[in-house]
């Protein structure tokens, strides 16, 4: 795993010499989407046997071990964890914990592809936050692309119809928390490394999941009639040896994904990096079909086509008309 991170750092350095910062951010966002899609399907697979906070605690403990090994192997070592922005790290950590919890609770109550598609309202929220809080410039073509993706999400969610389910509010809440996370990442990119930001996220995961275990880990508040509440409040069970490989995959995948997404939003503007996480949508359809036999219906296919078109159009515009970073910086305070 250390070799993988060393390779990634070398690749990012070489990209910096020959490519724009936005290009690095886009590549990292795509890589993070692949990692997170893998962890999503793994958690959904394990949701019938373990409580959510039990899965997250072991996943984060493994991820913490990976991060510490990387820090000890790096030039800065554990000294790089020293920060003057601890409060912002904690707020960022709480944001990502809530985003994960809400998304995974929604994941067990609906098809994988539908939950992921609903979560992808987050790029529109990120764009809104980037304008309000970061004073970034978003041109009309990029707004069109983001709006196209938002229409696709609406098609899939079908608000106001009998197809709408209450559990769909959970991924929407996760999207707001996710947007908060990456808005904070943009404000910390000049002083905090990706490894440091990932470390403090893992610390927050471990603290929160441990507290939940201490409060409700005995299952006394469990509600088996609700898939989401059952996943959150069921009692802890013994870890099966056969599942340990999956937990290692979760820990390594989530840590690598956290590292890449931190790099993505450090190098690229929030409104530009966000649409490239859409790669998780076709992957969610693939995993849903192969692992859970969840066939996407016509509504899902039409809506996802709009979402994919928005990401591809953003890529086309950036290739033909590269965004000028100074335009955004001129609006920053």
């Amino acid at each position: 795993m250390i070799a993988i991170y060393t390779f990634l750092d070398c690749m990012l350095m070489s990209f910096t010499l020959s490519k724009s910062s936005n290009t690095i951010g886009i590549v990292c966002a795509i890589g993070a989407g692949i990692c997170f899609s893998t962890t999503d399907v793994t958690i959904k697979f394990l949701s019938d046997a373990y409580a959510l906070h039990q899965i997250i605690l072991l996943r984060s403990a493994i991820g913490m071990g990976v991060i510490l090994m990387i820090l000890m192997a790096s030039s800065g070592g554990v000294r790089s964890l020293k920060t003057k922005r601890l409060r912002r790290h904690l707020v960022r950590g709480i944001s990502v914990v809530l985003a994960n919890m809400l998304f995974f609770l929604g994941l067990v109550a609906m098809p994988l592809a539908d939950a992921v598609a609903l979560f992808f309202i987050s790029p529109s929220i990120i764009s809104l936050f980037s304008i309000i809080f970061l004073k970034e410039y978003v041109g009309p073509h990029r707004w069109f692309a983001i709006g196209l993706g938002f229409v696709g999400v609406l098609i899939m969610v079908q608000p106001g119809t009998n197809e709408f389910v209450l559990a769909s509010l959970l991924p929407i809440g996760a999207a707001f928390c996710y947007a908060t996370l990456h808005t904070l990442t943009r404000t910390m990119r000049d002083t905090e490394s990706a490894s440091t930001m990932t470390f403090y996220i893992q610390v927050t995961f471990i603290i929160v999941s441990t507290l939940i275990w201490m409060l409700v880990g005995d299952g006394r508040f469990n509600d088996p009639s609700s898939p989401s509440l059952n996943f959150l409040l069921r009692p802890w069970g013994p870890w099966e040896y056969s599942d340990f490989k999956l937990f290692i995959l979760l820990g390594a995948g989530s840590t690598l994904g956290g590292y890449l997404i931190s790099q993505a939003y450090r190098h690229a503007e929030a409104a530009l990096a966000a649409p490239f996480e859409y790669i998780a949508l076709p992957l969610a359809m693939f995993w849903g079909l192969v692992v859970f036999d969840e066939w996407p219906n016509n509504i899902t296919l039409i809506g996802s086509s709009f979402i994919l078109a928005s990401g591809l159009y953003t890529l086309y515009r950036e290739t033909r008309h590269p965004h000028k970073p100074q335009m955004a910086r001129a609006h920053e305070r």
Side-chain angles (χ1 to χ4, degrees):
M1 181 59 67
I2 295 176
I4 293 176
Y5 274 81
T6 303
F7 172 75
L8 287 172
D9 283 332
C10 292
M11 288 295 293
L12 289 174
M13 289 176 64
S14 65
F15 270 129
T16 304
L17 295 176
S18 59
K19 302 289 184 181
S20 70
S21 182
N22 280 339
T23 302
I24 299 174
I26 289 170
V27 171
C28 289
I30 292 173
I34 295 173
C35 290
F36 290 141
S37 176
T38 304
T39 60
D40 288 348
V41 68
T42 305
I43 286 181
K44 186 175 176 69
F45 182 79
L46 293 170
S47 63
D48 288 337
Y50 303 95
L52 175 58
H53 46 283
Q54 183 179 9
I55 295 174
I56 288 180
L57 179 59
L58 184 55
R59 181 195 72 173
S60 301
I62 294 172
M64 177 66 77
V66 173
I67 286 294
L68 290 177
M69 286 190 295
I70 294 167
L71 289 172
M72 286 188 290
S74 66
S75 58
V78 294
R79 290 175 298 177
S80 63
L81 297 178
K82 185 177 180 180
T83 179
K84 295 181 180 179
R85 312 184 81 172
L86 180 60
R87 182 179 300 177
R88 190 162 295 189
H89 274 294
L90 294 177
V91 174
R92 186 174 178 272
I94 291 295
S95 297
V96 73
V97 168
L98 288 175
N100 273 250
M101 290 283 192
L102 292 171
F103 176 74
F104 293 135
L105 291 175
L107 193 65
V108 299
M110 61 183 67
L112 178 63
D114 291 358
V116 172
L118 183 57
F119 176 76
F120 273 123
I121 195 175
S122 57
S124 296
I125 302 171
I126 290 172
S127 295
L128 180 62
F129 283 6
S130 70
I131 293 173
I132 297 174
F133 300 113
L134 303 181
K135 310 303 179 184
E136 290 184 355
Y137 172 79
V138 177
H141 289 280
R142 205 180 302 172
W143 271 120
F144 171 77
I146 293 171
L148 193 65
F150 185 74
V151 169
V153 171
L154 290 177
I155 291 174
M156 297 181 69
V157 173
Q158 302 180 67
T161 69
N162 292 333
E163 301 299 322
F164 180 79
V165 295
L166 186 61
S168 64
L169 297 177
L170 294 171
I172 292 175
F176 274 94
C177 295
Y178 190 73
T180 302
L181 160 72
H182 291 304
T183 302
L184 289 171
T185 300
R186 291 287 292 170
T187 67
M188 301 166 67
R189 62 178 179 172
D190 294 331
T191 61
E192 310 298 312
S193 69
S195 296
T196 301
M197 288 191 282
T198 306
F199 171 82
Y200 283 105
I201 281 179
Q202 299 295 349
V203 168
T204 310
F205 269 123
I206 291 174
I207 292 174
V208 172
S209 56
T210 300
L211 288 175
I212 295 176
W213 169 51
M214 294 172 61
L215 293 173
V216 302
D218 58 0
R220 63 183 183 273
F221 299 114
N222 188 27
D223 181 6
S225 65
S226 169
S228 296
L229 290 178
N230 185 42
F231 188 30
L232 177 64
L233 301 174
R234 71 159 56 106
W236 276 37
W239 281 306
E240 298 291 338
Y241 178 77
S242 58
D243 292 332
F244 196 67
K245 291 181 179 180
L246 295 178
F247 282 106
I248 293 177
L249 175 64
L250 278 177
S254 62
T255 303
L256 179 58
Y259 173 85
L260 288 173
I261 204 64
S262 294
Q263 288 286 18
Y265 285 87
R266 286 178 70 241
H267 286 282
E269 291 184 9
L272 176 61
F276 290 91
E277 295 182 66
Y278 286 140
I279 192 174
L281 182 54
L283 288 175
M285 292 183 181
F286 170 78
W287 290 123
L289 178 61
V290 172
V291 180
F292 305 108
D293 195 28
E294 297 172 348
W295 290 81
N297 56 33
N298 291 335
I299 295 296
T300 299
L301 293 174
I302 294 172
S304 63
S305 297
F306 275 81
I307 294 171
L308 289 175
S310 71
L312 293 174
Y313 184 69
T314 300
L315 176 61
Y316 169 78
R317 288 293 305 177
E318 184 62 23
T319 302
R320 293 291 299 272
H321 305 280
H323 182 70
K324 297 179 176 57
Q326 62 267 26
M327 295 176 67
R329 295 193 184 103
H331 290 77
E332 295 177 359
R333 295 180 182 176

